[in-house]
Every structure is written in C-alpha cells, then in structure tokens.
Amino acid sequence: MLNKTNALIYFLAFSSGFCIMGIELLGGRILAPFFGSSVHIWGSIITVFMLSLSIGYLLGGKLSTRHPSLSKYGLIFLVASIMVFPIALFAEQIMHFIFLHVEDSRYGSLLAATALFFIPTIILGMISPYSVRLLVTDREKSGQVAGRLYFVSTLGSALGTIITSFYMVLAFDVNAIIITFAATLGVLGVAAITFNRLTIKERTPCLGS
C-alpha cells in the first residue's frame, strides 16, 4: 500500500509526463507559422525533445545521488516552470530572428526548436530518475518500482497528448496553454516542498514535550 509521500511522487511524475507531451505537441503549432508543418519540422521537434530528455535523465540520475529529498525534487519542478514560461513570452521574436537568418527551413526549425525547448526539456527530463530514487527503498524491488513509475509517467504523457490535441488546442490559445503548463509545474513544485516541510514538522517532537 502506498504511503502519502509515494503517492505524491507518483502523481507528480504523472503530471510531469502530461506536461512534457503537451508542450512537445504544441511545438508543432508554435513553429508552423514560420517554418510550416512538414515532416522535417516534426523531425526537428522530436530530435530536440529526445536529446534533451536523455541529457535530463543523466543529470537527474546524478543529482539524485546527492542527498535526495522531496524539497529538491520540488525545486526541479519550480525551475522547469521558470524555463517553460519564456516559450510563451519570446517564441515569436526568437523564431522571427531565426527565420530571417537561416534560409533552409530544416535547419531553421531545428535551431528554433533547440532555442525554445532544449533547456526546459532537460529540466523536465530530470524528474523521472529523481522520482525513482525517492521511491526506491529496497534494492530488490528497484526494478518493480522503476517499472511502475515509468508506467505512471508514460500514462500521463499519453493523456497529455490526447487531451492537448483533442480539447485544449480547440478551446485555448497556444500561449495560454503553455503558461498553464508552466503554472502547473510551479504549483506542483510548491506542493512538494510544502508537503516535505509539513512531514518534517510532524516527525519532529515539540520542545518541552
């Protein structure tokens, strides 16, 4: 049976998967006005996201070996939130500059996708390995825990893809959705940090008791 801390971690991993795929899906809509929507545009977006996530997995795994805590886990979400916001604020200016200076739309779209999504996706990629580290308390069950975590995260990604593409893009502006994802990540980060502090207070005996 899951305790509250583990349940929160699974929920956060699910939510991060939702946000990652939602942002990736919106990447095509963001780049389309300047570079079109052909297959090489999606090739650029997918390449940037896969490379960024792989780097994030390495960094998250390394960070998780240094006194892992739910507070540090929450900070990853806060940093991700801060990095996602500029996509909505500066995407048009960045793409306009690249569009004027790079004639080939293949390399222009690759450069634009890198400028917009590389850093935020690296931070988001750090979440999964850090989640595994927080959840694993028994080496013999590490494989089972990792499998369950990646199942939950991938399920979040699938729902993020379908909900974003079927419903959100029809009801909201792309920038509004990006800001919503960024705000959601920030709220999740604050929730993790707050939960950790409350848990510590509950475990710490009151003075004089």
Side-chain angles (χ1 to χ4, degrees):
M1 185 175 180
L2 293 178
N3 59 41
K4 292 181 180 180
T5 300
N6 287 358
L8 176 61
I9 294 170
Y10 280 117
F11 175 74
L12 293 174
F14 171 90
S15 300
S16 71
F18 188 106
C19 292
I20 289 170
M21 286 308 300
I23 294 169
E24 182 175 359
L25 187 66
L26 292 175
R29 294 287 292 269
I30 294 171
L31 268 63
F34 287 89
F35 303 103
S37 56
S38 59
V39 66
H40 63 259
I41 304 302
W42 281 107
S44 297
I45 294 169
I46 293 171
T47 297
V48 169
F49 269 80
M50 292 297 99
L51 179 61
S52 301
L53 287 173
S54 65
I55 296 173
Y57 295 152
L58 287 175
L59 295 178
K62 186 175 182 179
L63 182 64
S64 70
T65 63
R66 301 177 180 178
H67 308 290
S69 70
L70 201 55
S71 288
K72 292 180 181 179
Y73 185 57
L75 284 175
I76 297 176
F77 281 84
L78 289 179
V79 174
S81 174
I82 294 170
M83 293 295 103
V84 169
F85 264 115
I87 297 174
L89 300 178
F90 306 114
E92 186 172 350
Q93 296 92 317
I94 291 172
M95 288 188 297
H96 181 71
F97 178 83
I98 294 173
F99 179 76
L100 293 177
H101 291 81
V102 182
E103 294 183 1
D104 193 324
S105 63
R106 294 173 301 173
Y107 301 109
S109 63
L110 182 60
L111 185 58
T114 301
L116 293 174
F117 305 115
F118 188 69
I119 299 301
T121 310
I122 286 177
I123 306 302
L124 288 167
M126 296 171 66
I127 293 173
S128 289
Y130 207 99
S131 301
V132 173
R133 179 63 184 86
L134 290 176
L135 289 168
V136 172
T137 55
D138 185 347
R139 290 185 179 181
E140 294 184 358
K141 296 182 178 180
S142 59
Q144 181 181 1
V145 170
R148 187 184 298 123
L149 185 283
Y150 285 111
F151 166 78
V152 170
S153 178
T154 304
L155 180 61
S157 297
L159 290 177
T161 301
I162 203 76
I163 291 175
T164 301
S165 61
F166 278 32
Y167 304 106
M168 296 180 75
V169 295
L170 299 179
F172 305 102
D173 176 74
V174 170
N175 284 342
I177 301 173
I178 291 292
I179 290 173
T180 299
F181 284 140
T184 299
L185 290 167
V187 170
L188 293 172
V190 172
I193 294 170
T194 302
F195 181 87
N196 185 62
R197 290 180 178 177
L198 292 175
T199 303
I200 291 174
K201 287 183 178 180
E202 289 177 359
R203 293 175 180 176
T204 302
C206 296
L207 294 177
S209 60

